[in-house]
């Protein structure tokens, strides 16, 4: 675990997402942010407990925080891109204040808005772990490589949070695209969370 951005390996988002999904055995919720975070979550294997954010930037962490607070027994992950985090940076102070023990934030930091053509974000040199820590998220660190990412996931699954895991990404694009059907995404997720029982959509 690293508190600085020195010597961090640039990793492949799909590989990291696959490693995360492989560890989920307890119907954990995973919220994929707009951008390629939700594309790779989809590609890693659809689960009813996945929610794919389409349309608005910056909402993966707020949505995940809401799920975590509503269902405190369920570990809940937010996968967010750095561009989207910048759009809603204040959510980190809210997370620190609410402090849901079951929330894990995974930041996919590629320094660009990859999905809209790779424009650099205005925070390309920012240390988001340092920002998270300054907001009050004391369990915040960068993953130096894939093995450490896995150890940090194991720790986040086994211990109280909120946790914040920063990952520097390489420049590879997403594996595929999420099926864009917002009503179905919502409906499946509500069933995955056990909050909707009746069958209205396939
Ligand atoms: C409020 C708002 N502004 C702009 C957009 C257009 N837009 C959608 S995704 C995106 C970039 C997302 O970047 P990031 O979160 O870093 O993810 P990446 O694409 O790098 O995976 C932009 C600019 C939007 N959807 N909403």
């Amino acid at each position: 675990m690293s508190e600085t951005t020195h010597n961090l390996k640039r990793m492949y988002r799909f590989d990291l997402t696959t490693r995360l999904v492989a560890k989920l055995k307890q119907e954990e919720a995973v919220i994929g942010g707009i951008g390629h975070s939700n594309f790779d979550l989809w590609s890693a294997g659809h689960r009813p407990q996945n929610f794919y954010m389409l349309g608005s930037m910056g909402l993966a962490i707020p949505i995940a925080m809401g799920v975590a607070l509503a269902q405190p027994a369920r570990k809940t992950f937010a996968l967010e891109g750095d561009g989207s985090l910048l759009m809603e940076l204040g959510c980190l102070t809210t997370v620190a204040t609410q402090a849901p023990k079951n929330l894990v934030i995974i930041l996919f930091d590629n320094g660009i808005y990859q999905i809209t053509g790779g424009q650099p974000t205005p925070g390309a040199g920012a240390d988001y772990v340092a920002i998270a820590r300054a907001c009050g998220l004391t369990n915040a660190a960068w993953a130096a490589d894939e093995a450490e990412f896995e150890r940090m996931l194991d720790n986040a699954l086994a211990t109280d949070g909120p946790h914040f895991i920063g990952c520097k990404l390489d420049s590879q694009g997403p594996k595929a695209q999420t099926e864009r059907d917002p009503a179905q995404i919502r409906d499946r997720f509500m069933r995955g969370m056990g909050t909707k029982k009746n069958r209205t959509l396939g």
Side-chain angles (χ1 to χ4, degrees):
M1 287 195 317
S2 176
E3 289 180 20
T4 76
T5 54
H6 298 307
N7 300 321
L8 299 176
K9 181 175 174 193
R10 291 195 167 269
M11 298 179 278
Y12 178 33
R13 180 183 42 236
F14 176 69
D15 174 56
L16 296 177
T17 308
T18 304
R19 288 170 191 263
L20 165 66
V21 170
K23 288 185 185 290
L24 304 180
K25 311 285 186 214
Q26 307 287 331
E27 301 195 347
E28 296 87 347
V30 187
I31 318 301
I34 190 178
H36 288 152
S37 303
N38 82 73
F39 284 24
D40 278 343
L41 177 62
W42 173 273
S43 302
H46 175 67
R47 309 162 57 251
Q49 297 82 24
N50 289 354
F51 184 81
Y52 312 96
M53 186 60 212
L54 308 174
S56 299
M57 297 171 73
L59 292 184
I61 297 170
I63 292 170
M65 185 181 72
V67 172
L69 290 170
Q71 298 199 354
R74 189 191 299 274
K75 280 279 182 189
T76 303
F77 291 79
L79 311 182
E80 191 65 294
D82 56 312
S84 295
L85 176 60
L86 278 177
M87 186 69 82
E88 187 64 16
L89 201 56
C91 73
L92 296 179
T93 61
T94 313
V95 170
T97 306
Q98 295 290 323
K101 292 177 179 170
N102 50 330
L103 179 64
V104 187
I105 298 168
I106 299 179
L107 177 70
F108 287 143
D109 179 7
N110 54 12
I112 57 175
Y113 301 112
Q114 192 178 50
I115 198 172
T116 51
Q119 305 86 353
T121 70
D127 181 338
Y128 295 101
V129 163
I131 292 171
R133 294 176 72 84
C135 288
L137 295 171
T138 49
N139 291 316
W142 290 102
D145 57 21
E146 291 83 356
E148 192 172 73
F149 177 69
E150 294 223 13
R151 284 195 296 275
M152 291 168 78
L153 286 179
D154 291 340
N155 179 54
L157 282 164
T159 67
D160 284 348
H163 296 276
F164 183 106
I165 302 173
C167 302
K168 289 284 186 186
L169 296 189
D170 64 23
S171 59
Q172 293 184 77
K175 261 276 197 245
Q177 283 197 27
T178 305
E179 217 174 279
R180 294 184 78 85
D181 187 336
Q184 191 177 63
I185 289 170
R186 180 203 59 215
D187 192 73
R188 284 175 168 168
F189 184 66
M190 289 173 76
R191 287 174 209 290
M193 295 298 99
T195 55
K196 187 173 187 179
K197 309 283 186 201
N198 63 318
R199 194 167 171 77
T200 55
L201 282 172

